Amino acid sequence: MGDYMKKYLTIVLISLASAFPFTASAQNGNFYGVAEAGITKNSLKASGTFNNLTTENKSGAAFGASAGYRFFTGQSLVFGLEGSLATSGGSSFSQDSTSTLLVETDYTYGAYFTLGGRFGENKDTFVYGLFGFGGTSIDETATFVGSANVTTASESGNGFSVGAAVETGISENIGVRIKGLHNMYKQGNSGTKIRDTSIMAGLVINF
């Protein structure tokens, strides 16, 4: 894990820990963690040398975890912060008559504000949106006709993220959820536009 990623996650964790008081009662809010699994698919819009390549986008398995804090106010409103980190099997392959470009996503990460409502007789079903910043770490492989060289690079990029989740409790401290998230960013120094879309099912543990 690179220095940039470590700094990013440190900022996320500090934000989660300091945004709300640790003395908040369970009635007013709680910390939670989520173990997640699902699929991701990325789309690629290359620039520069690879601007006009025909691209095929593929989905792949994703595994990760999220952690956050949410605050309850009134009868229905819920808001908070959440951070996430997940592996990704998404990839994009672009080619024309002279060159090819393979982009493989290693992992995605992000920090989001959450805002939504509580529903049901016991107010244990949550529907909320996620808005914030996300990013990715990718591996690139490029080849050119007439050249024996294969160019490889590992880079990262970050930008805006939006998503939504539906969560319901199955016991006092355990729940399940479905989350969809769309990350939009430019990768590294090349300015290549990448979009990652993930759908993740998760097991929620409330503390």
Side-chain angles (χ1 to χ4, degrees):
M1 185 180 296
D3 291 340
Y4 175 82
M5 182 62 184
K6 292 178 181 178
K7 292 179 181 178
Y8 190 96
L9 289 179
T10 299
I11 292 171
V12 171
L13 292 174
I14 291 174
S15 298
L16 291 173
S18 62
F20 302 98
F22 282 91
T23 56
S25 67
Q27 183 179 359
N28 294 327
N30 70 279
F31 288 96
Y32 63 92
V34 190
E36 301 176 298
I39 60 172
T40 60
K41 184 175 183 178
N42 69 1
S43 61
L44 170 69
K45 185 176 181 180
S47 60
T49 304
F50 303 100
N51 185 47
N52 296 314
L53 300 188
T54 300
T55 302
E56 179 183 3
N57 303 309
K58 295 183 178 180
S59 59
F63 302 93
S66 297
Y69 184 90
R70 52 189 165 210
F71 187 81
F72 309 125
T73 182
Q75 292 295 315
S76 300
L77 185 64
V78 55
F79 63 93
L81 291 173
E82 180 172 313
S84 69
L85 175 66
T87 64
S88 173
S91 64
S92 294
F93 181 75
S94 303
Q95 63 180 342
D96 62 10
S97 59
T98 62
S99 55
T100 67
L101 175 65
L102 173 64
V103 174
E104 299 174 290
T105 304
D106 295 324
Y107 53 83
T108 61
Y109 52 90
Y112 324 103
F113 291 101
T114 60
L115 177 65
R118 296 190 291 169
F119 303 92
E121 182 178 352
N122 298 317
K123 299 295 184 182
D124 58 355
T125 296
F126 306 143
V127 179
Y128 49 94
L130 300 98
F131 317 89
F133 296 93
T136 186
S137 173
I138 67 171
D139 293 323
E140 288 185 342
T141 304
T143 61
F144 303 92
V145 172
S147 173
N149 294 328
V150 176
T151 303
T152 61
S154 296
E155 299 188 36
S156 62
N158 55 84
F160 292 104
S161 297
V162 294
V166 178
E167 177 185 334
T168 188
I170 57 177
S171 71
E172 183 176 356
N173 296 316
I174 303 297
V176 292
R177 80 172 183 183
I178 296 291
K179 179 184 75 176
L181 195 64
H182 185 61
N183 295 325
M184 301 168 283
Y185 43 82
K186 289 185 178 181
Q187 164 268 319
N189 297 320
S190 67
T192 296
K193 295 181 180 179
I194 298 179
R195 305 290 184 260
D196 272 322
T197 302
S198 62
I199 300 176
M200 306 279 278
L203 179 67
V204 183
I205 302 175
N206 294 293
F207 301 100

